[in-house]
Amino acid sequence: MGTGHYFWALFYFASLCSASLANNAKINFREKEKKVLDQILGAGKYDARIRPSGINGTDGPAIVRINLFVRSIMTISDIKMEYSVQLTFREQWTDERLKFDDIQGRLKYLTLTEANRVWMPDLFFSNEKEGHFHNIIMPNVYIRIFPNGSVLYSIRISLTLACPMNLKLYPLDRQICSLRMASYGWTTNDLVFLWKEGDPVQVVKNLHLPRFTLEKFLTDYCNSKTNTGEYSCLKVDLLFKREFSYYLIQIYIPCCMLVIVSWVSFWLDQGAVPARVSLGVTTLLTMATQTSGINASLPPVSYTKAIDVWTGVCLTFVFGALLEFALVNYASRSGLNKPNRAADMHKENLKKKRRDLEQASLDAASDLLDTDSNATFAMKPLVRHPGDPMAMEKLRQCEVHMQPPKRPNCCKTWLSKFPTRSKRIDVISRITFPLVFALFNLVYWSTYLFREEEDE
């Protein structure tokens, strides 16, 4: 009998355990979630108009922590000075009125899709121009309520934000575009925004921009004070570096080619007027069109940009090549290209004086030997008598005659190979224009690259 009673007792206990497990298996946790939501958000139990308490239920400001995930950066406009970004925006705060029983850890969090059911921070983007939410297929927003009263709000938004730019070094510049978030109505006595600890801003991997590279980003605080109080503000600065290879291929190399093509005019014959005029005018118009196209893609700023210096100097070189042909043509048509009679007469006078000096030196040498009537030679005394003006003049002529000849000037000698002034202008231009342009390139690149390093 004792063994039988023991058996029935074990059977009864096993039946109770199985019944308990069956009841637990039949629990509908979604129904429990509904009851919990009705319990904490029911009428008369929660008022979304009242902000949460401070830390540990104090009367201090509510702390809201911000986290961003940058999904993409669409465009960065230099003309409008703005950029477009798509991001996932997250806010997290604690509202002790929303605490609930998690049923021994089985309810990890509650999910809402209606933001007006709970209190929300009045955050806005202070440098926003345009923005919209994403509603395909459903609104891309959710609210999670955790058992300890912590609330997580997440939404996907697209924004067009203002980005004031300094284009003095364009296109060798770097730009800083900010994303600013601030409280609109709650002052720092009621609401404080803080960056989430750890990694407050994430950027999608393999972010590609057409003309920029995202070098880095920095988070900071930007609280603002007005006559209505102090308002909490957060900002993230995105540092963009402009890709120079695009502008090197599209602007700098074509401008160099146009300047070099304008120098072909120096190698054409001065009589080829139609060819030289058409070449100069064509390069000038092409350079002007290139400059206007560059300026059309930029805002009309009051200062001089690096690209303005480049295009302006290139346009000056092309215009200078056209003016050089005008000077050559004028020289070939006017008296500048004819033999210079005054110069020739001056040369003839110099030659005549040289012949007279040579003759005078010969006469002085012949006076040293005097012949008498008996055909006997007698040496005249070599002592110069004081006060003898003839001897002094002859000695001076001999000294002039014995002076060493001046060294010839190589440049004048080389230019003397070209008979006309117009040809000499062309030859000088072939050397001067490339040298000055090379010097300009050296100064330009060293100046702006050095300034870029200083700004960095």
Side-chain angles (χ1 to χ4, degrees):
M1 289 295 292
T3 305
H5 284 293
Y6 181 72
F7 174 76
W8 285 109
L10 289 175
F11 179 76
Y12 180 73
F13 180 75
S15 299
L16 290 176
C17 291
S18 61
S20 177
L21 292 174
N23 290 332
N24 289 337
K26 293 179 181 179
I27 294 177
N28 189 343
F29 288 100
R30 302 287 74 80
E31 187 67 24
K32 289 287 184 181
E33 185 176 353
K34 176 182 179 301
K35 290 182 179 180
V36 171
L37 286 173
D38 293 338
Q39 181 182 356
I40 61 177
L41 298 177
K45 295 183 178 180
Y46 183 86
D47 193 344
R49 298 173 298 176
I50 308 300
R51 73 168 179 85
S53 302
I55 299 176
N56 297 326
T58 62
D59 195 30
I63 304 299
V64 179
R65 299 190 179 275
I66 306 297
N67 169 253
L68 298 176
F69 176 66
V70 180
R71 293 181 172 271
S72 64
I73 299 175
M74 280 76 76
T75 57
I76 301 176
S77 175
D78 297 319
I79 299 178
K80 298 181 179 180
M81 290 195 177
E82 64 185 19
Y83 73 104
S84 300
V85 61
Q86 183 186 127
L87 50 87
T88 298
F89 174 74
R90 304 186 187 100
E91 296 176 306
Q92 193 165 7
W93 66 94
T94 299
D95 193 342
E96 295 185 354
R97 297 173 295 174
L98 299 177
K99 289 183 177 180
F100 63 90
D101 182 15
D102 60 352
I103 313 177
Q104 299 178 355
R106 296 181 181 180
L107 279 179
K108 294 183 178 180
Y109 54 81
L110 303 175
T111 302
L112 295 176
T113 56
E114 300 175 0
N116 58 357
R117 297 287 300 275
V118 297
W119 176 87
M120 293 290 299
D122 61 341
L123 181 142
F124 77 106
F125 298 93
S126 58
N127 60 332
E128 173 206 355
K129 287 186 174 181
E130 294 179 357
H132 67 273
F133 302 113
H134 293 265
N135 297 318
I136 301 175
I137 298 175
M138 293 293 293
N140 298 164
V141 58
Y142 68 80
I143 298 175
R144 290 177 181 174
I145 304 175
F146 294 88
N148 63 350
S150 178
V151 181
L152 173 63
Y153 174 74
S154 177
I155 187 171
R156 186 166 73 100
I157 53 179
S158 293
L159 299 171
T160 300
L161 304 165
C163 179
M165 299 181 182
N166 187 352
L167 300 174
K168 288 184 178 180
L169 298 181
Y170 177 90
L172 301 168
D173 58 333
R174 285 178 170 85
Q175 301 298 337
I176 297 178
C177 295
S178 299
L179 174 63
R180 295 174 176 265
M181 300 159 286
S183 173
Y184 190 80
W186 299 97
T187 64
T188 52
N189 296 326
D190 298 313
L191 179 62
V192 173
F193 291 119
L194 297 176
W195 285 111
K196 184 179 179 181
E197 297 178 357
D199 194 9
V201 178
Q202 302 95 35
V203 180
V204 66
K205 295 182 179 179
N206 301 324
L207 178 64
H208 296 290
L209 299 173
R211 290 187 294 176
F212 288 88
T213 300
L214 179 61
E215 288 192 328
K216 59 182 178 180
F217 52 88
L218 302 173
T219 57
D220 200 358
Y221 296 90
C222 55
N223 292 4
S224 60
K225 291 184 179 180
T226 65
N227 55 2
T228 58
E230 181 180 359
Y231 298 90
S232 182
C233 176
L234 302 178
K235 73 171 182 176
V236 54
D237 292 330
L238 305 174
L239 178 60
F240 295 103
K241 180 182 178 182
R242 199 181 299 272
E243 288 291 342
F244 180 69
S245 58
Y246 168 81
Y247 300 93
L248 180 65
I249 297 173
Q250 297 293 327
I251 296 177
Y252 284 91
I253 293 179
C255 289
C256 284
M257 295 173 64
L258 286 173
V259 172
I260 294 173
V261 167
S262 67
W263 298 342
V264 176
S265 174
F266 307 150
W267 298 87
L268 298 179
D269 185 74
Q270 60 186 13
V273 176
R276 298 187 68 164
V277 170
S278 60
L279 180 63
V281 172
T282 302
T283 52
L284 182 62
L285 293 177
T286 307
M287 191 66 217
T289 304
Q290 181 85 350
T291 304
S292 62
I294 295 169
N295 293 329
S297 61
L298 293 174
V301 294
S302 59
Y303 48 83
T304 302
K305 304 180 289 294
I307 194 66
D308 294 336
V309 176
W310 175 265
T311 55
V313 172
C314 290
L315 189 62
T316 302
F317 271 93
V318 174
F319 183 67
L322 185 60
L323 290 182
E324 187 272 347
F325 171 66
L327 180 61
V328 168
N329 188 41
Y330 173 75
S332 62
R333 291 175 177 270
S334 65
L336 294 177
N337 204 39
K338 296 178 181 179
N340 196 328
R341 296 179 181 178
D344 293 343
M345 292 178 63
H346 182 65
K347 290 181 181 180
E348 291 295 332
N349 292 332
L350 290 178
K351 290 180 181 180
K352 184 178 180 181
K353 290 181 179 180
R354 186 176 299 174
R355 288 194 298 266
D356 293 342
L357 290 175
E358 291 177 356
Q359 185 65 32
S361 62
L362 292 176
D363 293 341
S366 62
D367 288 341
L368 295 176
L369 296 175
D370 191 16
T371 331
D372 56 2
S373 58
N374 295 325
T376 59
F377 297 95
M379 294 293 295
K380 282 195 174 184
L382 298 179
V383 180
R384 179 172 57 87
H385 297 284
D388 189 356
M390 294 299 296
M392 290 290 292
E393 182 66 23
K394 291 179 180 179
L395 182 61
R396 190 179 297 110
Q397 292 177 356
C398 290
E399 290 177 354
V400 171
H401 180 71
M402 295 303 293
Q403 287 180 355
K406 295 182 180 180
R407 298 179 61 182
N409 192 335
C410 58
C411 295
K412 292 183 178 179
T413 304
W414 178 66
L415 288 176
S416 63
K417 298 179 181 179
F418 306 100
T420 60
R421 293 285 182 87
S422 59
K423 190 64 176 179
R424 293 177 185 176
I425 295 174
D426 275 339
V427 172
I428 294 174
S429 300
R430 294 173 190 175
I431 300 174
T432 305
F433 273 72
L435 286 179
V436 176
F437 189 69
L439 180 62
F440 162 71
N441 274 270
L442 179 62
V443 174
Y444 178 88
W445 294 113
S446 59
T447 300
Y448 283 101
L449 291 178
F450 180 70
R451 289 180 61 182
E452 181 186 10
E453 293 177 358
E454 282 186 347
D455 293 345
E456 183 180 1

